[in-house]
Amino acid sequence: MDAVIENLPIFLEGFKNTLGLLLLSGIGALVLGVIVAALRISPIASFRGFATVYTEIVRNTPLTLVLFFCAFLLPYLQFSPPFFVLAVIGLTVYTSPFVAEALRSGINGVPVGQAEAARSVGLTFGQSLSYVIMPQAVRMVIPPLINVFIALTKNTSVAGAFFVFELFGAGRQVVNDRGDAVIAILAGVAFFYLIITITLGQIAARVEKKVAVLR
Amino acid sequence: MSSVLYDAPGPKARARSRAISIVGVILVLAVLAWLILAMGAPKTSANGAVQPGLWDATRWDVFSDVQVWRSLGGGVIATLKMAGVAAVLALIIGVLFSFGRTADHKAIRVPTAVVLEFVRGMPVLLMILFILLVFSTGSYWAGVSALAIYNGAIIGEALRAGIQSLPRGQREAGLAIGLTPLATRFTIEFPQAFRQMLPIIIAQLVVLLKDTSLAFIVGYSELLRVGVKNLPDFFGNRYLFSFFLVVLAIYLAMNLSLSWVARFVARRSGPKAGKLVDPEPTLTPKDPLASVRGGYSTGDAGGQGPA
């Protein structure tokens, strides 16, 4: 236990970086995911095809491989910002298709009768989308989206193996110094992860209960 | 292309949409071609030495060596060995978790729920490191057991959802004809829940296969470590990019074929199989708008997924 308390500053530093990774790559993945989802449902066939291929390829590539590309091959191709930025890029790219799929399933989850009703009372395309479809789709999208961010939180640990100093990296460093207290240290790291993931999970459950569309 | 959201396009709108589509294809192809050419161009590094482009033959000649392919094959086998054993164990653990979570006694149900919540909120990598350091199992068993526990927890939750979505009458009927509670669960509830959740379970196995690459970090010689670490270390760093592309292709081939199986199973035993079961009403892929908007349905674990 004292090993955790002594090294608390290191843990907090790692926790800060984990939150930073989560926030930056979360925003990035959200933006990229919205673009991919929009391409995916667009009426133009070539955009749809491109987005589909992108989703399939990225979703079936292991995260370790994506981060390896960012950490070793991008510098090799003479693009070398700090490792933190490279990790944000990798996590953003890896998470974006999952965001896009969550968004798309939300939009697809709105019953077609809603759109038909909106059109038949004379709303235009923009009106039916913004007054009828989107308000329902957004509610249904939030819980799966939070699940994606919970997964992203856990995935930031992989960045710790590629020279980024976050929680997992902090844990590894402290374990190297204090080999006698491995269990306490790793439990401490797990505790910090659970702070984020359980909070997000609670929010998801709360939101789900509150905004669920009753049918 | 018909949609309820806007009027059917006339000849002008159709022509415009076609034109944009063609421009889009050209744009995407142009960007790809530019990328490929830029990567293929020879580069001059700071000290004036000229490196050959990434598609240059000198970067690819190792692949004529049978030994390279033999090593890569060994990596694939190591990956599959880890994924296979972990998948079987994950299924067993998942079944146990789902039974614990739906047990009649609170004394079993509550601790199981706590353990599940704990396991699902932790990074797999942390679990691998924990098992490796605390139980000093060696990297293979550390990877197998962490992957089995983590994916077992998720499969367990899926099975629980499957069991709970069954109509109460199923269990009541089983008890009424004199089966014990355990026999009811095994012979009546569980088979239906398993069938219902099979697409999600297979999608989770794709995740498991992808996650075997995490064992790379703790030093297990699977496909990723062999392909992008051992082989480039041996043959020289200039082959790094070539090896990376080959490893990526192998991973994609493995995962896409497993995903394809998942989709096939989802189509065969998806929501419509077993009419007694009320599928989750919202996010099911059989929804009509899916076809309207030109997307295709996948039976994937979606939000559960990208671990």
Side-chain angles (χ1 to χ4, degrees):
Chain A
M1 201 60 214
D2 59 319
V4 177
I5 294 165
E6 274 170 30
N7 293 302
L8 205 57
I10 300 183
F11 280 121
L12 288 178
E13 173 74 19
F15 188 55
K16 209 183 72 195
N17 281 335
T18 291
L19 282 180
L21 274 179
L22 173 63
L23 213 65
L24 289 177
S25 43
I27 293 170
L30 204 57
V31 173
L32 202 55
V34 168
I35 295 173
V36 173
L39 290 181
R40 199 71 195 273
I41 60 172
S42 84
I44 295 159
S46 65
F47 291 176
R48 243 175 11 237
F50 174 73
T52 309
V53 170
Y54 173 83
T55 306
E56 283 301 304
I57 289 185
V58 176
R59 238 175 18 155
N60 284 292
T61 307
L63 173 62
T64 329
L65 202 61
V66 175
L67 284 175
F68 182 89
F69 180 83
C70 291
F72 293 106
L73 284 164
L74 282 183
Y76 189 69
L77 299 172
Q78 296 171 358
F79 174 76
S80 42
F83 281 118
F84 186 84
V85 179
L86 289 170
V88 169
I89 294 173
L91 288 168
T92 298
V93 170
Y94 180 77
T95 313
S96 60
F98 294 97
V99 172
E101 285 297 279
L103 293 174
R104 195 171 68 95
S105 69
I107 295 174
N108 282 344
V110 179
V112 72
Q114 297 286 323
E116 283 168 352
R119 288 288 291 157
S120 65
V121 295
L123 298 186
T124 63
F125 172 72
Q127 283 172 332
S128 52
L129 211 58
S130 55
Y131 295 137
V132 179
I133 309 285
M134 277 308 172
Q136 301 182 57
V138 167
R139 284 159 189 240
M140 279 197 277
V141 152
I142 289 174
L145 213 52
I146 292 181
N147 279 340
V148 171
F149 288 127
I150 291 177
L152 173 61
T153 311
K154 293 184 277 183
N155 286 339
T156 55
S157 67
V158 183
F162 291 99
F163 317 123
V164 179
F165 188 80
E166 44 67 80
L167 264 177
F168 180 75
R172 271 222 296 206
Q173 185 190 323
V174 176
V175 162
N176 278 341
D177 294 346
R178 292 288 307 265
D180 55 322
V182 175
I183 295 181
I185 292 165
L186 291 183
V189 174
F191 171 75
F192 279 110
Y193 275 113
L194 290 176
I195 289 182
I196 306 179
T197 53
I198 289 186
T199 314
L200 282 176
Q202 293 296 327
I203 294 174
R206 193 72 56 82
V207 169
E208 199 163 10
K209 215 173 276 171
K210 192 156 184 182
V211 304
V213 185
L214 291 177
R215 292 221 168 82
Chain B
M1 188 76 209
S2 71
S3 170
V4 290
L5 283 175
Y6 35 82
D7 297 327
K12 260 190 196 165
R14 272 206 302 273
R16 194 167 54 224
S17 149
R18 213 171 19 244
I20 298 177
S21 189
I22 290 168
V23 171
V25 169
I26 292 172
L27 215 69
V28 169
L29 286 182
V31 169
L32 276 182
W34 176 79
L35 262 180
I36 289 171
L37 281 180
M39 284 155 106
K43 273 196 281 283
T44 315
S45 51
N47 54 12
V50 177
Q51 295 175 331
L54 291 174
W55 312 117
D56 197 85
T58 54
R59 287 186 185 270
W60 292 86
D61 52 9
V62 275
F63 290 106
S64 61
D65 190 345
V66 184
Q67 207 54 44
V68 169
W69 290 106
R70 205 166 287 162
S71 316
L72 284 175
V76 171
I77 289 172
T79 290
L80 291 180
K81 215 170 76 184
M82 175 173 270
V85 175
V88 172
L89 290 177
L91 282 175
I92 296 171
I93 292 175
V95 172
L96 292 179
F97 267 138
S98 72
F99 283 178
R101 194 79 159 73
T102 52
D104 288 331
H105 293 290
K106 222 175 175 180
I108 305 176
R109 212 165 54 223
V110 174
T112 317
V114 172
V115 171
L116 268 177
E117 200 63 26
F118 181 75
V119 171
R120 291 202 309 160
M122 271 228 295
V124 186
L125 189 54
L126 192 64
M127 254 190 270
I128 295 180
L129 188 70
F130 185 86
I131 294 172
L132 181 71
L133 293 179
V134 174
F135 301 106
S136 29
T137 49
S139 54
Y140 174 71
W141 283 107
V144 166
S145 37
L147 286 173
I149 293 171
Y150 177 80
N151 292 289
I154 288 176
I155 290 173
E157 278 293 272
L159 285 175
R160 180 192 63 93
I163 289 176
Q164 284 184 344
S165 77
L166 294 175
R168 283 175 63 89
Q170 295 290 316
R171 182 173 178 77
E172 286 163 358
L175 294 174
I177 59 171
L179 294 176
T180 62
L182 202 63
T184 311
R185 179 135 297 159
F186 263 110
T187 57
I188 295 183
E189 289 180 285
F190 185 70
Q192 297 185 58
F194 192 78
R195 195 174 148 76
Q196 173 84 358
M197 290 295 151
L198 199 56
I200 291 183
I201 291 173
I202 297 183
Q204 194 57 40
L205 295 183
V206 178
V207 173
L208 190 152
L209 182 57
K210 273 180 7 176
D211 280 357
T212 54
S213 65
L214 291 175
F216 159 72
I217 292 163
V218 292
Y220 177 59
S221 289
E222 37 69 79
L223 177 57
L224 188 58
R225 175 164 281 271
V226 169
V228 299
K229 185 87 179 52
N230 297 355
L231 285 175
D233 279 356
F234 184 73
F235 285 103
N237 224 16
R238 71 200 158 104
Y239 294 115
L240 185 61
F241 187 78
S242 317
F243 277 122
F244 173 84
L245 274 191
V246 170
V247 169
L248 176 64
I250 297 175
Y251 266 114
L252 283 179
M254 288 197 300
N255 292 331
L256 283 173
S257 41
L258 196 54
S259 301
W260 183 81
V261 171
R263 219 165 284 160
F264 180 73
V265 171
R267 218 177 304 139
R268 287 203 46 183
S269 70
K272 64 180 176 303
K275 290 193 181 57
L276 285 171
V277 178
D278 180 31
E280 203 186 334
T282 47
L283 301 174
T284 45
K286 66 170 182 181
D287 164 279
L289 264 185
S291 58
V292 172
R293 291 166 192 268
Y296 68 89
S297 321
T298 59
D300 72 324
Q304 312 252 22

